[in-house]
Amino acid sequence: MAEPTRPMRRQEIRRENEKTILVAAEKVFAEAGFGGATMQLIADLAGLPKANLHYYFATKEELYRSVVQNIFEIWLQAANCFDAARGPIDGISAYIDAKMEISRRHPDGSKVWASEVMHGAPVLQDYMESTLREWTDGRVEIIRRWIEEAKMDPVDPRHLLYMLWATTQHYADFGHQIETLNGGKPLSDRQWREAKENIKRVILTGIGALPA
């Protein structure tokens, strides 16, 4: 009976080690950037030998791409609410809630993505030209449909998406600034709820989905 469990156990260990490495890599890349990060720094933070790191990720670039793709996949899952929503009130509200939770729980991943883009996407330009562009085009079509159905004002869908990204990711990328202005403390559960509700009210009212 013990024999069949060994491959499963190895898979569980691999998943746990990969998760530990990705969490450590997010933090190191967020703080040091791609150029300043080293596999040794990541290994030390993960509490693993450097050789183990190279077993799972052969190069720093491979690990970096995995970190960025991981946060992007989380963002993609958050956008699923667009596809099933009856209109902008449901869809955009759910999207804002999901993106704010991601900013709260994965701030380092968001910072890595922001840094990559601000430096001209030297590692991930191909990813942006394919996966990101396809995803954006799909959401643009949904927003256009809501406009055609008179469920919101005729705003430019791309600029609406840019506004949603900028607003929600601000809470991750500029988290230190927010904490400083909050008396040096992280936002409480109540403050996160208030932030979500304020963002939804401002944006949904602004696009005519809610009455002014």
Side-chain angles (χ1 to χ4, degrees):
M1 291 294 293
E3 193 65 29
T5 67
R6 290 177 182 171
M8 182 62 69
R9 179 59 181 156
R10 284 197 294 269
Q11 290 174 13
E12 290 174 359
I13 292 172
R14 182 182 184 89
R15 282 195 296 269
E16 285 302 311
N17 284 344
E18 287 179 347
K19 181 179 178 182
T20 299
I21 292 167
L22 286 171
V23 169
E26 267 191 12
K27 187 168 185 61
V28 173
F29 284 131
E31 293 178 353
F34 179 77
T38 66
M39 295 294 265
Q40 187 63 62
L41 278 173
I42 296 167
D44 291 344
L45 187 59
L48 295 169
K50 184 180 175 183
N52 282 33
L53 222 65
H54 285 288
Y55 173 77
Y56 293 105
F57 301 95
T59 65
K60 183 172 75 168
E61 180 173 329
E62 180 185 339
L63 177 52
Y64 180 79
R65 289 183 71 93
S66 294
V67 166
V68 179
Q69 288 173 2
N70 183 57
I71 188 65
F72 190 70
E73 289 298 322
I74 293 171
W75 284 339
L76 286 181
Q77 292 171 17
N80 288 340
C81 53
F82 266 91
D83 303 328
R86 295 172 294 178
I89 295 177
D90 293 337
I92 292 176
S93 292
Y95 186 53
I96 289 170
D97 283 339
K99 286 288 268 85
M100 288 290 282
E101 277 303 304
I102 294 168
S103 288
R104 184 180 189 182
R105 302 185 188 284
H106 300 275
D108 289 329
S110 180
K111 291 172 187 173
V112 174
W113 176 272
S115 178
E116 169 72 10
V117 174
M118 286 190 293
H119 286 86
V123 179
L124 292 164
Q125 183 63 29
D126 60 327
Y127 197 74
M128 293 181 68
E129 291 177 352
S130 56
T131 306
L132 179 59
R133 180 174 291 166
E134 291 170 9
W135 180 90
T136 303
D137 289 345
R139 305 294 84 69
V140 164
E141 288 306 310
I142 292 172
I143 295 170
R144 283 178 177 157
R145 188 181 74 239
W146 292 340
I147 292 171
E148 290 170 0
E149 294 170 350
K151 293 179 177 178
M152 58 179 282
D153 292 341
V155 301
D156 186 306
R158 292 183 187 277
H159 291 300
L160 175 57
L161 287 171
Y162 302 156
M163 185 181 298
L164 288 167
W165 298 342
T167 304
T168 56
Q169 286 161 230
H170 176 89
Y171 287 82
D173 302 342
F174 289 85
H176 178 71
Q177 176 176 277
I178 290 172
E179 286 190 15
T180 299
L181 297 175
N182 194 45
K185 299 176 293 183
L187 296 183
S188 65
D189 291 344
R190 177 184 59 79
Q191 288 173 311
W192 276 101
R193 288 194 300 270
E194 290 175 350
K196 291 177 187 177
E197 292 307 313
N198 274 280
I199 293 168
K200 285 186 283 189
R201 185 168 64 252
V202 169
I203 289 180
L204 291 172
T205 304
I207 62 173
L210 288 176

